[in-house]
Amino acid sequence: MTRSRSMPADAEAVFDVVSDLDNMTTWLPDSVEVELSGPNLIRLWLPGLHAEVDVERQVDIDWERLRITWGSETTTSCTGTLRVLRLTADRSAVSVQLTGPPGASARSVDAWIEAALNALETVVASECRTKQAVHQPVR
């Protein structure tokens, strides 16, 4: 499942948010629990069709390409790629490609991606407003 969304910030600012593995819960859906379990290693608890899915995935962060991948060629579920694309000085786009857990419907996976992109857009907009307020000259 693939989905994209425009973001109200430059690509580097958005990538700063999505690559901060310690704070992924600020923009992941509430139904997905995640924790850092080692260097570039995350543990996910995902709702599945019949039971919760508990997986560990290696995360590769590519700052040059503004891309994050999780999982590997040998894993067939809970894998994906997130890319941040440069649009303009203050706009970017995020594209997410995700393979969900076993038994998850395409509709469920699509809903997870949509919820994550909605939350990410909110977090990015909030951080941009905060940074603008900090950098505004006092009059």
Side-chain angles (χ1 to χ4, degrees):
M1 180 71 49
T2 303
R3 211 173 238 283
S4 297
R5 172 78 54 87
S6 177
M7 293 288 154
D10 66 61
E12 287 73 16
V14 174
F15 199 72
D16 281 345
V17 172
V18 297
S19 64
D20 182 358
L21 300 182
D22 288 326
N23 292 303
M24 289 187 308
T25 56
T26 62
W27 59 272
L28 286 176
D30 290 338
S31 61
V32 177
E33 293 183 43
V34 63
E35 72 179 23
L36 201 55
S37 61
N40 290 347
L41 189 64
I42 58 172
R43 181 174 210 100
L44 301 161
W45 290 271
L46 307 160
L49 187 58
H50 299 291
E52 187 174 271
V53 177
D54 176 2
V55 296
E56 214 168 47
R57 293 291 181 259
Q58 189 68 38
V59 177
D60 179 42
I61 300 173
D62 183 342
W63 282 90
E64 189 172 304
R65 292 188 177 110
L66 300 178
R67 180 177 66 197
I68 300 172
T69 56
W70 57 95
S72 68
E73 292 177 8
T74 59
T75 54
T76 58
S77 67
C78 304
T79 63
T81 302
L82 182 147
R83 291 196 64 198
V84 180
L85 309 167
R86 291 177 178 92
L87 298 179
T88 65
D90 60 351
R91 274 323 273 170
S92 58
V94 173
S95 176
V96 178
Q97 187 259 329
L98 175 67
T99 303
S105 68
R107 192 168 70 196
S108 294
V109 174
D110 188 52
W112 292 334
I113 296 171
E114 181 69 14
L117 290 173
N118 286 341
L120 179 60
E121 185 176 14
T122 300
V123 168
V124 166
S126 175
E127 287 200 11
C128 286
R129 280 192 299 273
T130 300
K131 286 179 183 174
Q132 286 174 348
V134 168
H135 295 300
Q136 292 292 326
V138 178
R139 295 176 194 220

